[in-house]
Amino acid sequence: MTNQPHPVGDDVIPLREATRAWFQISLQTFGGPAGQIAVMQHKLVDEKRWIGQKRFLHALNFCMLLPGPEAQQLAIYTGWLLNGIRGGLIAGSLFVLPGMLALLALSGIYVGYGETDVVTALFAGVAPAVIAIVVQAVQRVGKRALHHPALVAIAVASFAALTFFAVPFPAVVFAAGVLGWLVSLRFPALREPPTPAGEDGPEPLISDDALHHELPTVRRSGSVLLVGAVLWFAPVAAFAVLASTTGTSVFVDQGLFFSGAAVVTFGGAYAVLSYVAQQAVGVFHWLAPGEMVRGLALAETTPGPLIMVVQFVAFVGAYRHPGSLDPWLAAVLASLLVTWVTFVPCFLFVLLGAPYVERVRDNRGLGAALTGITAAVVGVIANLAVFFALHNLFGRNRTVEAGWVHVDVPVLGSWDPVAFAITAVALGVMFGRGWSPLRTLGLCAALGMGTFLVGLVG
């Protein structure tokens, strides 16, 4: 490999070799975005030395400005740097494929056997573990994001808006972005986009000038936008035709809902899952209140982006609302449709914006808006923790309404002592001993099975 500039359109490294590397990465993407980014860092920067540390972080900063799973978008972007559009498509697809197949199988097992005593006992253990995982996410994101009193205020306001006033999630995200920009006018330091620590790394074998590049022309942008939009919405239109003949409206509802969710998923999966849970349970009735946490538990055990849990939501929802179709066929079709409309926008955003990345990186106003949104994400994830706790630690809840206030509160007499105890264990091992989410899920699943064997649940 050389440090000479590479012609546009050529592969910087052999496509077959890059594909093999991306496949190896795809099998190791457990542990949420931090773990997934660390896997790519080790493989691409430290081991292969195909890209430098600074350029890798530059790409990460760009992906953090976009809605959607930043780890998958980082894979698309670095794949584009190494092999152009083909590389981006291969990297992004392989990043989600193993997790999609695994969660598709787990969703089928849940629908087929989820009501059995053994599976019920397992979920009685993993549900409290998920509560602890989300609480840890609040702590980690808050530690990184809330470095100014104004940002703490945005986080608290976001939590209150969602928890007590039922403000729609997209409105909270938009308001947080505007507030972040306005506050940055008073405190200019907030106009800097978040940057991971550590600019050093091994010297890359390929110079920055040799990586793939394209001129940001109007013609190119228009072509990418047109092709991406058609690929994004053509399946939704096709399923609308199918719905008109089978009476299966769930396809259109899920296609449109998750297409909209794809453009407001700032701050990672935990942020948007609060919105998805509220809509899937309270509006569309695809899931029962306690099932969202079960889907999240399954997603935590599979590789790939955690947002893949939307596949579980689609599978279960379509199985229960199949129209005239066979329930299993409807479930699989809905699962594939929702996976498509969730991840195709990631390819569109990255491939459209990559040539403009230098301009985006230097846009301080955009960085300020991202700072505000990131602060709001802390409140959003805290709202998700409350939602999960209400529906998994207590048997019954009631809604209190007073003017603009609209809040769910638990019926204290319905508390579940086993769920409280397992939650305490999960919080203890995660915060006290530093256990990983996957290890914690395993322990809590064993505890759930143990309580079943001794007759405490079941």
Side-chain angles (χ1 to χ4, degrees):
M1 299 193 182
T2 69
N3 283 328
Q4 299 303 314
H6 230 272
V8 175
D10 286 4
D11 290 327
V12 176
I13 59 172
L15 185 61
R16 178 175 295 182
E17 185 178 353
T19 301
R20 187 182 304 113
W22 286 115
F23 179 72
Q24 293 170 352
I25 289 172
S26 74
L27 300 178
Q28 304 174 54
T29 52
F30 293 90
Q36 293 157 3
I37 292 168
V39 169
M40 286 187 280
Q41 156 90 29
H42 173 73
K43 191 73 173 180
L44 303 176
V45 178
D46 301 330
E47 180 182 321
K48 297 290 188 180
R49 295 171 57 199
W50 286 343
I51 186 170
Q53 178 72 74
K54 187 173 182 179
R55 191 63 179 268
F56 184 80
L57 295 178
H58 175 193
L60 177 58
N61 281 341
F62 169 61
C63 294
M64 289 177 66
L65 296 173
L66 301 174
E70 64 265 27
Q72 192 233 3
Q73 290 167 337
L74 180 60
I76 297 170
Y77 185 71
T78 49
W80 178 81
L81 286 175
L82 297 172
N83 297 95
I85 289 181
R86 292 185 305 167
L89 294 175
I90 290 172
S93 299
L94 287 177
F95 197 86
V96 301
L97 187 59
M100 184 201 76
L101 295 175
L103 192 55
L104 181 63
L106 290 174
S107 299
I109 293 172
Y110 174 79
V111 167
Y113 302 99
E115 299 302 320
T116 62
D117 290 342
V118 171
V119 175
T120 299
L122 288 174
F123 279 116
V126 299
V130 171
I131 296 172
I133 291 169
V134 177
V135 170
Q136 186 186 61
V138 174
Q139 184 263 340
R140 286 184 172 179
V141 177
K143 185 177 180 179
R144 184 181 74 245
L146 304 183
H147 51 81
H148 191 278
L151 299 179
V152 175
I154 292 176
V156 172
S158 299
F159 174 79
L162 289 166
T163 306
F164 301 112
F165 300 100
V167 178
F169 173 77
V172 172
V173 171
F174 177 78
V178 173
L179 284 173
W181 178 75
L182 291 174
V183 170
S184 73
L185 299 179
R186 176 67 176 83
F187 303 103
L190 300 182
R191 298 178 72 85
E192 296 292 339
T195 302
E199 291 279 345
D200 298 327
E203 185 70 20
L205 297 176
I206 305 168
S207 71
D208 285 353
D209 291 336
L211 294 172
H212 182 83
H213 60 281
E214 296 181 50
L215 293 176
T217 63
V218 173
R219 180 177 180 180
R220 179 197 180 277
S221 299
S223 299
V224 172
L225 184 61
L226 177 61
V227 172
V230 170
L231 290 174
W232 186 354
F233 289 105
V236 180
F239 274 95
V241 174
L242 177 64
S244 67
T245 60
T246 63
T248 314
S249 61
V250 69
F251 293 140
V252 178
D253 291 340
Q254 290 183 348
L256 294 177
F257 172 71
F258 287 107
S259 291
V263 301
V264 295
T265 53
F266 294 95
Y270 288 119
V272 77
L273 286 182
S274 174
Y275 174 50
V276 171
Q278 291 171 356
Q279 299 296 306
V281 174
V283 177
F284 295 106
H285 307 293
W286 294 326
L287 302 178
E291 287 184 311
M292 190 68 195
V293 74
R294 299 180 180 182
L296 187 58
L298 294 178
E300 288 277 8
T301 66
T302 60
L306 189 59
I307 194 62
M308 191 67 76
V309 68
V310 300
Q311 181 186 10
F312 171 85
V313 176
F315 191 101
V316 176
Y319 182 86
R320 293 171 179 169
H321 304 278
S324 62
L325 288 178
D326 176 80
W328 287 100
L329 176 60
V332 172
L333 290 176
S335 178
L336 297 177
L337 172 64
V338 166
T339 301
W340 182 268
V341 300
T342 297
F343 290 103
V344 164
C346 297
F347 292 93
L348 172 59
F349 297 151
V350 173
L351 297 178
L352 178 64
Y356 299 93
V357 66
E358 293 297 333
R359 300 180 187 181
V360 173
R361 181 182 62 170
D362 295 332
N363 190 318
R364 292 177 175 270
L366 191 57
L370 176 65
T371 299
I373 291 172
T374 304
V377 162
V378 181
V380 172
I381 300 176
N383 170 262
L384 180 66
V386 170
F387 178 89
F388 283 166
L390 284 174
H391 293 289
N392 290 279
L393 300 182
F394 298 90
R396 298 191 308 277
N397 298 281
R398 59 188 180 90
T399 301
V400 175
E401 296 186 22
W404 288 358
V405 176
H406 179 97
V407 59
D408 291 333
V409 297
V411 176
L412 297 180
S414 67
W415 75 292
D416 185 341
V418 173
F420 268 88
I422 297 178
T423 301
V425 171
L427 289 169
V429 296
M430 293 194 74
F431 285 92
R433 305 184 67 86
W435 280 28
S436 69
L438 195 59
R439 189 179 182 187
T440 303
L441 283 168
L443 171 65
C444 292
L447 291 175
M449 182 59 66
T451 58
F452 167 73
L453 294 175
V454 300
L456 294 178
V457 298

